Amino acid sequence: MEGFYAFLFIFTCIFNIHPGARAIGINYGLNGDDLPTPTDVVSLLKSKSISNIRLFEPNPNVLEALQGSGISVIVGTRNEDLQALASDASAATKWVETNILPYTSLNFKCISAGNEVPAEQTQYLPAAMQNLDAALTAASQSIPVTTAVSMSVLSASDPPSKGAFGSEIMSQVTSFLVSKGGPLLLNAYTYFPRISYPENVKLEFALFEGGATVVHDDPYSYDNLFDAMVDAVHAALEKAGGSDVEIIVTETGWPTEGSADASVENAMKYNNNLIRHLAAGSGTPRKPGKSVEAYIFALFNEDLKAEGVEQHWGLFYPNMTEVYPVDF
Ligand SMILES: *[C@@H]1O[C@H](CO)[C@@H](O)[C@H](O)[C@H]1NC(C)=O
């Protein structure tokens, strides 16, 4: 009996330390003129046991505050920097020297070459990723380089097995990720298909509230839109020769104001259901048993974003009071 409990204890320690905390992170955006100091933000994150953060660009004050915190960081390059990073290896070396090497006690999970890179800049992506990877390797840093894409990189996604990339650049990105073993970063909002096609996309399906199969994609079936979106990208990766490329969802969430379906009630349902879904570790129908890691957008309501729904994605007000309770 004693042996059994010892076994159970060890098992619990290894596999269950913080199932939610492991799978969930938050986007820390800085488009507000009333946001708390990075040091206060790090204290807030620790008090909520949030151990993964994604930054859109390498802000030195934020990176400094995160040093030694134990919080892992996905950091992006700005889209505007991709052309220089692609055309000049020394620009990539400089980027790594400025934004990575000084932070010796920071755990960088990966580096995102841009975010939802606009069509006119995607041509720079493969070379920018190569140059950043070479610069990191030369500096003895084993940090994967990748990029963050939205669902718009797919030419088809319904049903998920039809998922395919719409451009040659994504084949090159996939080959790079396969050769380096890095993840693909995906921004996947169920909110947008819901507000664009309310007659086809049921609110319950977008909020993980239905429980019943809505999309049949033999042999797979989907009771929530999040899994269907992630699996459409899994299918696209598979067709591009990247069936083993891991997907990290770098943005997902629900707004609290500014449209018919934006409300505190819906946002609270979405984000808490998401956390519960990922913590269960059941994965998606195409990749069962392998939960994706997901980053909620966003930490704060940001008042310098476009008016309306854009300003209301935060889990916290700038004064660090929660907009609604989230069970991390
Ligand atoms: C924080 O800000 C929100 C939104 O402005 C406000 O409703 C709330 O009362 C504030 N809380 C504190 C403790 O100041």
PDB file of all heavy atoms in Angstrom, residues 84-122:
ATOM      1  N   ALA A  84      15.534  43.634 -43.627  1.00  0.00           N
ATOM      2  CA  ALA A  84      16.942  43.762 -43.250  1.00  0.00           C
ATOM      3  C   ALA A  84      17.489  42.426 -42.741  1.00  0.00           C
ATOM      4  O   ALA A  84      18.604  42.022 -43.100  1.00  0.00           O
ATOM      5  CB  ALA A  84      17.101  44.845 -42.189  1.00  0.00           C
ATOM      6  N   LEU A  85      16.689  41.726 -41.922  1.00  0.00           N
ATOM      7  CA  LEU A  85      17.142  40.442 -41.372  1.00  0.00           C
ATOM      8  C   LEU A  85      17.369  39.421 -42.484  1.00  0.00           C
ATOM      9  O   LEU A  85      18.242  38.559 -42.383  1.00  0.00           O
ATOM     10  CB  LEU A  85      16.123  39.906 -40.363  1.00  0.00           C
ATOM     11  CG  LEU A  85      15.996  40.707 -39.055  1.00  0.00           C
ATOM     12  CD1 LEU A  85      14.758  40.269 -38.270  1.00  0.00           C
ATOM     13  CD2 LEU A  85      17.251  40.533 -38.192  1.00  0.00           C
ATOM     14  N   ALA A  86      16.583  39.531 -43.555  1.00  0.00           N
ATOM     15  CA  ALA A  86      16.694  38.582 -44.667  1.00  0.00           C
ATOM     16  C   ALA A  86      17.888  38.895 -45.558  1.00  0.00           C
ATOM     17  O   ALA A  86      18.580  37.989 -46.032  1.00  0.00           O
ATOM     18  CB  ALA A  86      15.412  38.591 -45.498  1.00  0.00           C
ATOM     19  N   SER A  87      18.147  40.181 -45.778  1.00  0.00           N
ATOM     20  CA  SER A  87      19.136  40.528 -46.796  1.00  0.00           C
ATOM     21  C   SER A  87      20.546  40.659 -46.235  1.00  0.00           C
ATOM     22  O   SER A  87      21.516  40.669 -46.982  1.00  0.00           O
ATOM     23  CB  SER A  87      18.724  41.828 -47.508  1.00  0.00           C
ATOM     24  OG  SER A  87      18.430  42.821 -46.569  1.00  0.00           O
ATOM     25  N   ASP A  88      20.662  40.727 -44.899  1.00  0.00           N
ATOM     26  CA  ASP A  88      21.957  41.014 -44.306  1.00  0.00           C
ATOM     27  C   ASP A  88      22.177  40.146 -43.059  1.00  0.00           C
ATOM     28  O   ASP A  88      21.533  40.349 -42.037  1.00  0.00           O
ATOM     29  CB  ASP A  88      21.976  42.508 -43.946  1.00  0.00           C
ATOM     30  CG  ASP A  88      23.313  42.963 -43.385  1.00  0.00           C
ATOM     31  OD1 ASP A  88      24.238  42.121 -43.299  1.00  0.00           O
ATOM     32  OD2 ASP A  88      23.420  44.147 -43.037  1.00  0.00           O
ATOM     33  N   ALA A  89      23.095  39.178 -43.181  1.00  0.00           N
ATOM     34  CA  ALA A  89      23.348  38.274 -42.055  1.00  0.00           C
ATOM     35  C   ALA A  89      23.807  39.052 -40.823  1.00  0.00           C
ATOM     36  O   ALA A  89      23.507  38.667 -39.684  1.00  0.00           O
ATOM     37  CB  ALA A  89      24.393  37.229 -42.440  1.00  0.00           C
ATOM     38  N   SER A  90      24.502  40.165 -41.024  1.00  0.00           N
ATOM     39  CA  SER A  90      25.002  40.917 -39.866  1.00  0.00           C
ATOM     40  C   SER A  90      23.851  41.619 -39.129  1.00  0.00           C
ATOM     41  O   SER A  90      23.947  41.890 -37.932  1.00  0.00           O
ATOM     42  CB  SER A  90      26.077  41.924 -40.285  1.00  0.00           C
ATOM     43  OG  SER A  90      25.496  42.984 -40.999  1.00  0.00           O
ATOM     44  N   ALA A  91      22.733  41.902 -39.828  1.00  0.00           N
ATOM     45  CA  ALA A  91      21.558  42.479 -39.160  1.00  0.00           C
ATOM     46  C   ALA A  91      20.957  41.456 -38.183  1.00  0.00           C
ATOM     47  O   ALA A  91      20.516  41.804 -37.088  1.00  0.00           O
ATOM     48  CB  ALA A  91      20.514  42.912 -40.186  1.00  0.00           C
ATOM     49  N   ALA A  92      20.991  40.189 -38.587  1.00  0.00           N
ATOM     50  CA  ALA A  92      20.488  39.122 -37.711  1.00  0.00           C
ATOM     51  C   ALA A  92      21.418  38.945 -36.510  1.00  0.00           C
ATOM     52  O   ALA A  92      20.965  38.772 -35.371  1.00  0.00           O
ATOM     53  CB  ALA A  92      20.346  37.819 -38.486  1.00  0.00           C
ATOM     54  N   THR A  93      22.718  39.007 -36.761  1.00  0.00           N
ATOM     55  CA  THR A  93      23.693  38.908 -35.667  1.00  0.00           C
ATOM     56  C   THR A  93      23.462  40.034 -34.659  1.00  0.00           C
ATOM     57  O   THR A  93      23.436  39.822 -33.447  1.00  0.00           O
ATOM     58  CB  THR A  93      25.135  39.002 -36.230  1.00  0.00           C
ATOM     59  OG1 THR A  93      25.294  37.952 -37.185  1.00  0.00           O
ATOM     60  CG2 THR A  93      26.170  38.861 -35.131  1.00  0.00           C
ATOM     61  N   LYS A  94      23.265  41.237 -35.192  1.00  0.00           N
ATOM     62  CA  LYS A  94      23.025  42.414 -34.348  1.00  0.00           C
ATOM     63  C   LYS A  94      21.719  42.250 -33.546  1.00  0.00           C
ATOM     64  O   LYS A  94      21.660  42.578 -32.360  1.00  0.00           O
ATOM     65  CB  LYS A  94      22.954  43.661 -35.255  1.00  0.00           C
ATOM     66  CG  LYS A  94      22.803  44.970 -34.542  1.00  0.00           C
ATOM     67  CD  LYS A  94      24.177  45.605 -34.319  1.00  0.00           C
ATOM     68  CE  LYS A  94      24.181  46.639 -33.197  1.00  0.00           C
ATOM     69  NZ  LYS A  94      23.096  47.592 -33.229  1.00  0.00           N
ATOM     70  N   TRP A  95      20.705  41.732 -34.209  1.00  0.00           N
ATOM     71  CA  TRP A  95      19.404  41.550 -33.539  1.00  0.00           C
ATOM     72  C   TRP A  95      19.563  40.608 -32.341  1.00  0.00           C
ATOM     73  O   TRP A  95      19.076  40.878 -31.250  1.00  0.00           O
ATOM     74  CB  TRP A  95      18.363  41.003 -34.540  1.00  0.00           C
ATOM     75  CG  TRP A  95      16.946  41.096 -34.016  1.00  0.00           C
ATOM     76  CD1 TRP A  95      16.063  42.120 -34.244  1.00  0.00           C
ATOM     77  CD2 TRP A  95      16.273  40.155 -33.156  1.00  0.00           C
ATOM     78  NE1 TRP A  95      14.874  41.864 -33.575  1.00  0.00           N
ATOM     79  CE2 TRP A  95      14.980  40.674 -32.903  1.00  0.00           C
ATOM     80  CE3 TRP A  95      16.635  38.936 -32.579  1.00  0.00           C
ATOM     81  CZ2 TRP A  95      14.043  40.017 -32.101  1.00  0.00           C
ATOM     82  CZ3 TRP A  95      15.703  38.278 -31.764  1.00  0.00           C
ATOM     83  CH2 TRP A  95      14.431  38.816 -31.541  1.00  0.00           C
ATOM     84  N   VAL A  96      20.288  39.514 -32.559  1.00  0.00           N
ATOM     85  CA  VAL A  96      20.507  38.542 -31.479  1.00  0.00           C
ATOM     86  C   VAL A  96      21.360  39.155 -30.367  1.00  0.00           C
ATOM     87  O   VAL A  96      21.070  38.987 -29.175  1.00  0.00           O
ATOM     88  CB  VAL A  96      21.145  37.246 -32.045  1.00  0.00           C
ATOM     89  CG1 VAL A  96      21.641  36.333 -30.926  1.00  0.00           C
ATOM     90  CG2 VAL A  96      20.144  36.510 -32.945  1.00  0.00           C
ATOM     91  N   GLU A  97      22.398  39.904 -30.759  1.00  0.00           N
ATOM     92  CA  GLU A  97      23.267  40.542 -29.756  1.00  0.00           C
ATOM     93  C   GLU A  97      22.512  41.563 -28.907  1.00  0.00           C
ATOM     94  O   GLU A  97      22.776  41.724 -27.720  1.00  0.00           O
ATOM     95  CB  GLU A  97      24.440  41.248 -30.450  1.00  0.00           C
ATOM     96  CG  GLU A  97      25.541  40.279 -30.871  1.00  0.00           C
ATOM     97  CD  GLU A  97      26.624  40.955 -31.714  1.00  0.00           C
ATOM     98  OE1 GLU A  97      26.536  42.187 -31.950  1.00  0.00           O
ATOM     99  OE2 GLU A  97      27.533  40.235 -32.150  1.00  0.00           O
ATOM    100  N   THR A  98      21.569  42.269 -29.530  1.00  0.00           N
ATOM    101  CA  THR A  98      20.832  43.310 -28.817  1.00  0.00           C
ATOM    102  C   THR A  98      19.692  42.753 -27.974  1.00  0.00           C
ATOM    103  O   THR A  98      19.461  43.202 -26.844  1.00  0.00           O
ATOM    104  CB  THR A  98      20.228  44.317 -29.838  1.00  0.00           C
ATOM    105  OG1 THR A  98      21.270  44.757 -30.684  1.00  0.00           O
ATOM    106  CG2 THR A  98      19.584  45.495 -29.129  1.00  0.00           C
ATOM    107  N   ASN A  99      18.984  41.767 -28.525  1.00  0.00           N
ATOM    108  CA  ASN A  99      17.698  41.378 -27.925  1.00  0.00           C
ATOM    109  C   ASN A  99      17.686  40.046 -27.187  1.00  0.00           C
ATOM    110  O   ASN A  99      16.741  39.750 -26.471  1.00  0.00           O
ATOM    111  CB  ASN A  99      16.625  41.356 -29.019  1.00  0.00           C
ATOM    112  CG  ASN A  99      16.499  42.707 -29.690  1.00  0.00           C
ATOM    113  OD1 ASN A  99      16.335  43.718 -29.021  1.00  0.00           O
ATOM    114  ND2 ASN A  99      16.600  42.733 -31.013  1.00  0.00           N
ATOM    115  N   ILE A 100      18.732  39.237 -27.374  1.00  0.00           N
ATOM    116  CA  ILE A 100      18.745  37.913 -26.743  1.00  0.00           C
ATOM    117  C   ILE A 100      19.927  37.772 -25.781  1.00  0.00           C
ATOM    118  O   ILE A 100      19.756  37.455 -24.601  1.00  0.00           O
ATOM    119  CB  ILE A 100      18.801  36.787 -27.817  1.00  0.00           C
ATOM    120  CG1 ILE A 100      17.601  36.906 -28.774  1.00  0.00           C
ATOM    121  CG2 ILE A 100      18.870  35.411 -27.156  1.00  0.00           C
ATOM    122  CD1 ILE A 100      16.237  36.706 -28.164  1.00  0.00           C
ATOM    123  N   LEU A 101      21.140  38.011 -26.292  1.00  0.00           N
ATOM    124  CA  LEU A 101      22.339  37.708 -25.505  1.00  0.00           C
ATOM    125  C   LEU A 101      22.432  38.450 -24.168  1.00  0.00           C
ATOM    126  O   LEU A 101      22.942  37.873 -23.192  1.00  0.00           O
ATOM    127  CB  LEU A 101      23.605  37.943 -26.346  1.00  0.00           C
ATOM    128  CG  LEU A 101      23.697  37.098 -27.629  1.00  0.00           C
ATOM    129  CD1 LEU A 101      25.059  37.290 -28.307  1.00  0.00           C
ATOM    130  CD2 LEU A 101      23.445  35.618 -27.349  1.00  0.00           C
ATOM    131  N   PRO A 102      21.946  39.716 -24.064  1.00  0.00           N
ATOM    132  CA  PRO A 102      22.084  40.401 -22.764  1.00  0.00           C
ATOM    133  C   PRO A 102      21.259  39.751 -21.649  1.00  0.00           C
ATOM    134  O   PRO A 102      21.554  39.968 -20.469  1.00  0.00           O
ATOM    135  CB  PRO A 102      21.556  41.819 -23.039  1.00  0.00           C
ATOM    136  CG  PRO A 102      21.613  41.989 -24.523  1.00  0.00           C
ATOM    137  CD  PRO A 102      21.385  40.617 -25.095  1.00  0.00           C
ATOM    138  N   TYR A 103      20.257  38.964 -22.015  1.00  0.00           N
ATOM    139  CA  TYR A 103      19.321  38.451 -21.000  1.00  0.00           C
ATOM    140  C   TYR A 103      19.690  37.022 -20.637  1.00  0.00           C
ATOM    141  O   TYR A 103      19.060  36.063 -21.065  1.00  0.00           O
ATOM    142  CB  TYR A 103      17.884  38.590 -21.514  1.00  0.00           C
ATOM    143  CG  TYR A 103      17.623  40.015 -21.948  1.00  0.00           C
ATOM    144  CD1 TYR A 103      17.627  40.373 -23.300  1.00  0.00           C
ATOM    145  CD2 TYR A 103      17.443  41.016 -20.996  1.00  0.00           C
ATOM    146  CE1 TYR A 103      17.431  41.695 -23.689  1.00  0.00           C
ATOM    147  CE2 TYR A 103      17.256  42.347 -21.378  1.00  0.00           C
ATOM    148  CZ  TYR A 103      17.257  42.674 -22.725  1.00  0.00           C
ATOM    149  OH  TYR A 103      17.081  43.976 -23.108  1.00  0.00           O
ATOM    150  N   THR A 104      20.742  36.918 -19.850  1.00  0.00           N
ATOM    151  CA  THR A 104      21.343  35.610 -19.584  1.00  0.00           C
ATOM    152  C   THR A 104      20.481  34.742 -18.672  1.00  0.00           C
ATOM    153  O   THR A 104      20.650  33.534 -18.644  1.00  0.00           O
ATOM    154  CB  THR A 104      22.743  35.773 -18.954  1.00  0.00           C
ATOM    155  OG1 THR A 104      22.598  36.690 -17.856  1.00  0.00           O
ATOM    156  CG2 THR A 104      23.736  36.338 -19.954  1.00  0.00           C
ATOM    157  N   SER A 105      19.565  35.343 -17.904  1.00  0.00           N
ATOM    158  CA  SER A 105      18.709  34.492 -17.062  1.00  0.00           C
ATOM    159  C   SER A 105      17.252  34.578 -17.515  1.00  0.00           C
ATOM    160  O   SER A 105      16.338  34.643 -16.718  1.00  0.00           O
ATOM    161  CB  SER A 105      18.844  34.869 -15.584  1.00  0.00           C
ATOM    162  OG  SER A 105      18.525  36.222 -15.382  1.00  0.00           O
ATOM    163  N   LEU A 106      17.094  34.582 -18.826  1.00  0.00           N
ATOM    164  CA  LEU A 106      15.743  34.559 -19.403  1.00  0.00           C
ATOM    165  C   LEU A 106      15.583  33.296 -20.243  1.00  0.00           C
ATOM    166  O   LEU A 106      16.486  32.936 -21.004  1.00  0.00           O
ATOM    167  CB  LEU A 106      15.550  35.794 -20.291  1.00  0.00           C
ATOM    168  CG  LEU A 106      14.262  36.599 -20.065  1.00  0.00           C
ATOM    169  CD1 LEU A 106      14.262  37.848 -20.891  1.00  0.00           C
ATOM    170  CD2 LEU A 106      13.065  35.744 -20.351  1.00  0.00           C
ATOM    171  N   ASN A 107      14.432  32.653 -20.075  1.00  0.00           N
ATOM    172  CA  ASN A 107      14.173  31.419 -20.804  1.00  0.00           C
ATOM    173  C   ASN A 107      13.351  31.727 -22.059  1.00  0.00           C
ATOM    174  O   ASN A 107      12.134  31.869 -21.998  1.00  0.00           O
ATOM    175  CB  ASN A 107      13.444  30.460 -19.844  1.00  0.00           C
ATOM    176  CG  ASN A 107      12.848  29.263 -20.536  1.00  0.00           C
ATOM    177  OD1 ASN A 107      13.262  28.902 -21.647  1.00  0.00           O
ATOM    178  ND2 ASN A 107      11.858  28.651 -19.906  1.00  0.00           N
ATOM    179  N   PHE A 108      14.038  31.867 -23.214  1.00  0.00           N
ATOM    180  CA  PHE A 108      13.341  32.120 -24.477  1.00  0.00           C
ATOM    181  C   PHE A 108      12.848  30.793 -25.058  1.00  0.00           C
ATOM    182  O   PHE A 108      13.644  29.915 -25.345  1.00  0.00           O
ATOM    183  CB  PHE A 108      14.277  32.793 -25.488  1.00  0.00           C
ATOM    184  CG  PHE A 108      14.627  34.217 -25.145  1.00  0.00           C
ATOM    185  CD1 PHE A 108      15.862  34.537 -24.585  1.00  0.00           C
ATOM    186  CD2 PHE A 108      13.717  35.245 -25.375  1.00  0.00           C
ATOM    187  CE1 PHE A 108      16.186  35.851 -24.283  1.00  0.00           C
ATOM    188  CE2 PHE A 108      14.036  36.565 -25.075  1.00  0.00           C
ATOM    189  CZ  PHE A 108      15.269  36.868 -24.523  1.00  0.00           C
ATOM    190  N   LYS A 109      11.544  30.681 -25.212  1.00  0.00           N
ATOM    191  CA  LYS A 109      10.983  29.435 -25.778  1.00  0.00           C
ATOM    192  C   LYS A 109      11.198  29.388 -27.287  1.00  0.00           C
ATOM    193  O   LYS A 109      11.551  28.357 -27.836  1.00  0.00           O
ATOM    194  CB  LYS A 109       9.493  29.343 -25.473  1.00  0.00           C
ATOM    195  CG  LYS A 109       8.872  28.025 -25.923  1.00  0.00           C
ATOM    196  CD  LYS A 109       7.367  28.038 -25.749  1.00  0.00           C
ATOM    197  CE  LYS A 109       6.975  27.981 -24.306  1.00  0.00           C
ATOM    198  NZ  LYS A 109       6.987  26.598 -23.810  1.00  0.00           N
ATOM    199  N   CYS A 110      10.943  30.510 -27.964  1.00  0.00           N
ATOM    200  CA  CYS A 110      11.260  30.602 -29.385  1.00  0.00           C
ATOM    201  C   CYS A 110      11.225  32.055 -29.827  1.00  0.00           C
ATOM    202  O   CYS A 110      10.769  32.925 -29.085  1.00  0.00           O
ATOM    203  CB  CYS A 110      10.359  29.733 -30.264  1.00  0.00           C
ATOM    204  SG  CYS A 110       8.619  30.002 -30.082  1.00  0.00           S
ATOM    205  N   ILE A 111      11.718  32.276 -31.034  1.00  0.00           N
ATOM    206  CA  ILE A 111      11.744  33.620 -31.615  1.00  0.00           C
ATOM    207  C   ILE A 111      10.857  33.596 -32.852  1.00  0.00           C
ATOM    208  O   ILE A 111      10.999  32.724 -33.712  1.00  0.00           O
ATOM    209  CB  ILE A 111      13.179  34.028 -31.972  1.00  0.00           C
ATOM    210  CG1 ILE A 111      14.002  34.174 -30.680  1.00  0.00           C
ATOM    211  CG2 ILE A 111      13.197  35.330 -32.783  1.00  0.00           C
ATOM    212  CD1 ILE A 111      15.478  34.357 -30.893  1.00  0.00           C
ATOM    213  N   SER A 112       9.930  34.533 -32.901  1.00  0.00           N
ATOM    214  CA  SER A 112       9.008  34.600 -34.023  1.00  0.00           C
ATOM    215  C   SER A 112       9.481  35.657 -35.009  1.00  0.00           C
ATOM    216  O   SER A 112       9.535  36.840 -34.676  1.00  0.00           O
ATOM    217  CB  SER A 112       7.609  34.951 -33.500  1.00  0.00           C
ATOM    218  OG  SER A 112       6.722  35.113 -34.576  1.00  0.00           O
ATOM    219  N   ALA A 113       9.835  35.220 -36.219  1.00  0.00           N
ATOM    220  CA  ALA A 113      10.183  36.179 -37.265  1.00  0.00           C
ATOM    221  C   ALA A 113       8.870  36.800 -37.741  1.00  0.00           C
ATOM    222  O   ALA A 113       8.132  36.218 -38.520  1.00  0.00           O
ATOM    223  CB  ALA A 113      10.916  35.479 -38.406  1.00  0.00           C
ATOM    224  N   GLY A 114       8.535  37.956 -37.202  1.00  0.00           N
ATOM    225  CA  GLY A 114       7.317  38.659 -37.566  1.00  0.00           C
ATOM    226  C   GLY A 114       6.056  38.040 -36.991  1.00  0.00           C
ATOM    227  O   GLY A 114       6.090  37.000 -36.317  1.00  0.00           O
ATOM    228  N   ASN A 115       4.962  38.718 -37.243  1.00  0.00           N
ATOM    229  CA  ASN A 115       3.643  38.280 -36.781  1.00  0.00           C
ATOM    230  C   ASN A 115       2.620  38.556 -37.872  1.00  0.00           C
ATOM    231  O   ASN A 115       2.496  39.693 -38.311  1.00  0.00           O
ATOM    232  CB  ASN A 115       3.247  39.037 -35.506  1.00  0.00           C
ATOM    233  CG  ASN A 115       1.879  38.643 -35.004  1.00  0.00           C
ATOM    234  OD1 ASN A 115       1.550  37.452 -34.963  1.00  0.00           O
ATOM    235  ND2 ASN A 115       1.075  39.620 -34.635  1.00  0.00           N
ATOM    236  N   GLU A 116       1.924  37.511 -38.313  1.00  0.00           N
ATOM    237  CA  GLU A 116       0.946  37.663 -39.404  1.00  0.00           C
ATOM    238  C   GLU A 116       1.541  38.568 -40.484  1.00  0.00           C
ATOM    239  O   GLU A 116       0.980  39.594 -40.842  1.00  0.00           O
ATOM    240  CB  GLU A 116      -0.383  38.205 -38.875  1.00  0.00           C
ATOM    241  CG  GLU A 116      -1.000  37.314 -37.815  1.00  0.00           C
ATOM    242  CD  GLU A 116      -2.410  37.737 -37.394  1.00  0.00           C
ATOM    243  OE1 GLU A 116      -3.016  38.585 -38.078  1.00  0.00           O
ATOM    244  OE2 GLU A 116      -2.904  37.194 -36.387  1.00  0.00           O
ATOM    245  N   VAL A 117       2.681  38.137 -40.988  1.00  0.00           N
ATOM    246  CA  VAL A 117       3.469  38.946 -41.915  1.00  0.00           C
ATOM    247  C   VAL A 117       2.634  39.297 -43.152  1.00  0.00           C
ATOM    248  O   VAL A 117       2.077  38.411 -43.795  1.00  0.00           O
ATOM    249  CB  VAL A 117       4.758  38.183 -42.323  1.00  0.00           C
ATOM    250  CG1 VAL A 117       5.573  38.993 -43.329  1.00  0.00           C
ATOM    251  CG2 VAL A 117       5.590  37.865 -41.082  1.00  0.00           C
ATOM    252  N   PRO A 118       2.530  40.596 -43.475  1.00  0.00           N
ATOM    253  CA  PRO A 118       1.721  41.006 -44.622  1.00  0.00           C
ATOM    254  C   PRO A 118       2.291  40.458 -45.932  1.00  0.00           C
ATOM    255  O   PRO A 118       3.507  40.238 -46.046  1.00  0.00           O
ATOM    256  CB  PRO A 118       1.832  42.541 -44.616  1.00  0.00           C
ATOM    257  CG  PRO A 118       2.393  42.916 -43.298  1.00  0.00           C
ATOM    258  CD  PRO A 118       3.129  41.730 -42.770  1.00  0.00           C
ATOM    259  N   ALA A 119       1.405  40.258 -46.905  1.00  0.00           N
ATOM    260  CA  ALA A 119       1.770  39.610 -48.180  1.00  0.00           C
ATOM    261  C   ALA A 119       3.043  40.193 -48.799  1.00  0.00           C
ATOM    262  O   ALA A 119       3.903  39.438 -49.260  1.00  0.00           O
ATOM    263  CB  ALA A 119       0.611  39.706 -49.165  1.00  0.00           C
ATOM    264  N   GLU A 120       3.178  41.529 -48.769  1.00  0.00           N
ATOM    265  CA  GLU A 120       4.325  42.129 -49.457  1.00  0.00           C
ATOM    266  C   GLU A 120       5.647  41.863 -48.736  1.00  0.00           C
ATOM    267  O   GLU A 120       6.720  42.103 -49.287  1.00  0.00           O
ATOM    268  CB  GLU A 120       4.104  43.637 -49.690  1.00  0.00           C
ATOM    269  CG  GLU A 120       4.016  44.499 -48.430  1.00  0.00           C
ATOM    270  CD  GLU A 120       2.603  44.541 -47.826  1.00  0.00           C
ATOM    271  OE1 GLU A 120       1.745  43.707 -48.201  1.00  0.00           O
ATOM    272  OE2 GLU A 120       2.372  45.408 -46.956  1.00  0.00           O
ATOM    273  N   GLN A 121       5.584  41.340 -47.491  1.00  0.00           N
ATOM    274  CA  GLN A 121       6.825  41.068 -46.761  1.00  0.00           C
ATOM    275  C   GLN A 121       7.132  39.578 -46.594  1.00  0.00           C
ATOM    276  O   GLN A 121       8.210  39.219 -46.130  1.00  0.00           O
ATOM    277  CB  GLN A 121       6.772  41.733 -45.378  1.00  0.00           C
ATOM    278  CG  GLN A 121       6.989  43.242 -45.434  1.00  0.00           C
ATOM    279  CD  GLN A 121       6.554  43.942 -44.170  1.00  0.00           C
ATOM    280  OE1 GLN A 121       5.585  43.542 -43.526  1.00  0.00           O
ATOM    281  NE2 GLN A 121       7.240  45.007 -43.795  1.00  0.00           N
ATOM    282  N   THR A 122       6.190  38.691 -46.977  1.00  0.00           N
ATOM    283  CA  THR A 122       6.430  37.256 -46.748  1.00  0.00           C
ATOM    284  C   THR A 122       7.638  36.752 -47.532  1.00  0.00           C
ATOM    285  O   THR A 122       8.285  35.795 -47.121  1.00  0.00           O
ATOM    286  CB  THR A 122       5.203  36.383 -47.104  1.00  0.00           C
ATOM    287  OG1 THR A 122       4.812  36.681 -48.434  1.00  0.00           O
ATOM    288  CG2 THR A 122       4.063  36.622 -46.145  1.00  0.00           C
TER     289      THR A 122
END
